[in-house]
Amino acid sequence: MHQHIFTQPIVSEIKQPTLLTIRLLDSVSDLLVLSAMTNPIAEFVVSQVSALEATLIVRHQPFVELCYHNTHHVADKYDQMRSLGQGARLYPMMGIAPRVCIEQLREGITVNIQADEHVYFSLGSCTRFELISLEQDLRILSEPQALVMAKAILGRKFDYDEPSSMLAVHISEVEQVRRDLREYLKGESGKIHPGVSTELLKLDHLLQNKHQWLLRTYHQSLERPNLGRSSNEQLSNIEQLQRKLDCFELLAPKDVSDMVNKLSDDGM
């Protein structure tokens, strides 16, 4: 399972408390990571453990890098305690906006690993990720991921002042979830309860509305410097200047108007 998304296994030896930093590669775009956020980021399996030493078999997504640093810090509590042959997977938390997880992954996620007859894993505070033991990894058996993400997107409040690049990420995310919903409906046709099918269709309609709103906001952000100004502001300024020119022409003496017209004709 997950062989198609992970790198080749890596053997890592833990001889003292270790801080593992998982960071997104600088060359990887947010749009690429977005499509992989439903899968585990990394997997750890205990290959050997004795006293204060342990050997881990590690696999991870190809768009992240792993950096190990020895430390004297011992975590006060741990998220997972694993024995020989057991392991854990690192997932983004359910219902959290992928944008938030991607930003945190770009800054770096810290995993504290230490051994004492067992191997202990603990995540840094305020992380948007979680460690799930292999035997309890039931995400593929839970509510359809497309349905979970659709509800999360619909319940999210978007920022009007976000740059166009981030709006493009939101648009791609909505399109991806809508595609997943349609594929799920097509693949499970006749197998799911009619009430669930109706709910999925309603969610798809609501996602379509949000997609249209995001597209409109995206195009507006490209047409004007900020959402506080109208896209036809320049045209309004030209019309205002034309009205002022007409007023000056009516109020100015005839010889002055003739001289201005002559100068303008000569300049052309």
Side-chain angles (χ1 to χ4, degrees):
M1 185 178 178
H2 301 301
Q3 283 84 354
H4 62 292
I5 62 171
F6 280 140
T7 60
Q8 292 296 318
I10 302 171
V11 178
S12 300
E13 295 184 355
I14 306 299
K15 296 184 177 180
Q16 55 182 304
T18 300
L19 286 179
L20 168 61
T21 302
I22 303 175
R23 182 178 289 108
L24 193 64
L25 294 172
D26 295 334
S27 59
V28 177
S29 68
D30 292 351
L31 293 177
L32 174 62
V33 183
L34 178 64
S35 62
M37 291 303 286
T38 56
N39 298 315
I41 303 299
E43 179 184 87
F44 311 93
V45 177
V46 180
S47 175
Q48 296 180 13
V49 58
S50 60
L52 302 179
E53 297 184 2
T55 302
L56 304 179
I57 305 298
V58 182
R59 299 188 301 168
H60 60 85
Q61 294 262 15
F63 53 76
V64 298
E65 61 178 352
L66 276 58
C67 300
Y68 295 87
H69 304 281
N70 294 330
T71 179
H72 297 292
H73 173 72
V74 178
D76 297 331
K77 59 179 181 178
Y78 53 86
D79 298 307
Q80 291 288 334
M81 182 185 70
R82 304 278 77 195
S83 300
L84 181 63
Q86 296 181 333
R89 293 192 181 105
L90 179 69
Y91 277 99
M93 285 185 176
M94 298 285 282
I96 300 296
R99 172 182 58 84
V100 177
C101 295
I102 292 173
E103 289 178 355
Q104 193 170 78
L105 192 60
R106 194 170 291 281
E107 295 175 359
I109 305 167
T110 301
V111 183
N112 188 299
I113 307 174
Q114 55 198 60
D116 181 10
E117 300 296 342
H118 301 280
V119 180
Y120 303 88
F121 298 88
S122 57
L123 293 172
S125 59
C126 302
T127 183
R128 299 297 183 179
F129 291 78
E130 59 183 343
L131 285 165
I132 299 178
S133 59
L134 296 185
E135 64 271 20
Q136 294 180 351
D137 185 6
L138 303 178
R139 288 212 174 187
I140 59 173
L141 303 178
S142 61
E143 191 175 46
Q145 182 69 19
L147 183 59
V148 174
M149 293 308 303
K151 292 179 179 179
I153 292 174
L154 291 173
R156 191 188 313 162
K157 184 178 181 180
F158 290 95
D159 187 359
Y160 288 89
D161 297 325
E162 284 188 314
S164 56
S165 58
M166 188 54 65
L167 290 173
V169 174
H170 293 325
I171 292 171
S172 300
E173 181 184 355
V174 173
E175 290 175 347
Q176 176 181 320
V177 172
R178 290 194 65 202
R179 190 183 308 112
D180 292 343
L181 282 178
R182 289 193 295 268
E183 291 178 356
Y184 180 78
L185 278 171
K186 182 178 179 180
E188 300 295 326
S189 179
K191 301 179 184 179
I192 58 178
H193 191 277
V196 177
S197 178
T198 303
E199 182 183 5
L200 292 174
L201 291 174
K202 289 180 179 179
L203 290 175
D204 183 65
H205 179 69
L206 293 174
L207 286 172
Q208 182 182 9
N209 293 339
K210 178 152 286 191
H211 181 260
Q212 293 175 350
W213 178 85
L214 285 170
L215 277 177
R216 183 165 57 251
T217 306
Y218 174 75
H219 290 304
Q220 288 174 346
S221 68
L222 296 178
E223 294 172 357
R224 50 180 129 164
N226 60 64
L227 296 178
R229 299 182 180 180
S230 62
S231 57
N232 62 346
E233 182 177 7
Q234 185 177 5
L235 180 61
S236 300
N237 291 338
I238 294 176
E239 293 175 351
Q240 185 178 9
L241 291 174
Q242 183 62 47
R243 287 195 298 269
K244 287 183 179 180
L245 183 60
D246 293 339
C247 291
F248 279 120
E249 188 175 358
L250 290 174
L251 297 175
K254 186 177 183 304
D255 55 343
V256 175
S257 298
D258 293 340
M259 182 175 62
V260 171
N261 290 333
K262 186 176 185 306
L263 289 173
S264 62
D265 293 338
D266 292 341
M268 296 176 64

